[in-house]
Amino acid sequence: MNECLTLNVNGQVHELDVPSTAPLLDVLRNHLGLTGSRYGCGLEQCGACMVLIDGVAAYSCSREIGTLSGRTITTVEGLGSADALHPLQQAFLDEQAGQCGYCLSGILIAAKAFLDRNPDPTRAEIAAALDANLCRCGSHPRILRAVLKAAADMREKVA
């Protein structure tokens, strides 16, 4: 049975007529056209579907939409724009941190949540923070470099 639900995604409020048990990932992709978050495993084990919910990285593949009333959701599309990339997005481009790119939206989201909590991380701390995100291409060294670069760039902007 469908319900009329209000969802705040990337700063825009959306009225949706969907089942309250629908996974957030399905609603983002199929109802809002936000395809940056990806379906990987459906079991909260790969991180491809991660989004920010009230600033905290969360799996969207298993999160029921009905539990999100009044919460703020940010997808990778909400981090920056083509005209104004988020420092993480720019650093990932600069470091050529992706190969196939399937995992990158989830990694960017996890990295954003982590850097918001720890703006001056070590390489080991970044690796631990991104441990829940799988990358089958083996781009891990470049991903770690990109997050370190973004952290430095973000600290420089604040200083």
Side-chain angles (χ1 to χ4, degrees):
M1 184 165 134
N2 287 1
E3 293 183 38
C4 185
L5 301 168
T6 302
L7 201 59
N8 182 337
V9 180
N10 298 333
Q12 293 184 331
V13 176
H14 302 273
E15 297 288 331
L16 301 163
D17 185 26
V18 296
S20 63
T21 57
L24 173 58
L25 180 62
D26 290 346
V27 173
L28 293 172
R29 292 181 63 83
N30 300 326
H31 296 272
L32 299 180
L34 298 170
T35 58
S37 301
R38 309 265 185 355
Y39 181 87
C41 67
L43 301 169
E44 297 185 2
Q45 294 185 10
C46 73
C49 69
M50 283 192 165
V51 298
L52 297 175
I53 300 175
D54 295 333
V56 177
Y59 298 99
S60 65
C61 66
S62 59
R63 188 64 181 263
E64 292 184 358
I65 198 77
T67 66
L68 298 170
S69 179
R71 312 286 295 276
T72 300
I73 299 161
T74 305
T75 67
V76 70
E77 292 94 343
L79 290 184
S81 67
D83 297 329
L85 294 176
H86 186 278
L88 273 165
Q89 293 168 317
Q90 186 62 57
F92 271 62
L93 287 172
D94 293 346
E95 295 297 326
Q96 298 179 1
Q99 285 186 25
C100 82
Y102 200 83
C103 66
L104 288 186
S105 58
I107 290 174
L108 284 164
I109 289 292
K112 166 81 167 80
F114 173 68
L115 292 180
D116 285 349
R117 292 187 321 272
N118 183 354
D120 193 10
T122 65
R123 184 180 179 94
E125 290 170 330
I126 294 167
L130 299 181
D131 191 50
N133 297 85
L134 300 181
C135 171
R136 293 183 180 188
C137 297
S139 297
H140 297 95
R142 288 179 288 173
I143 290 168
L144 296 176
R145 275 197 318 265
V147 177
L148 281 168
K149 179 182 183 337
D153 292 348
M154 291 164 69
R155 285 191 311 274
E156 186 177 298
K157 283 185 179 182
V158 172

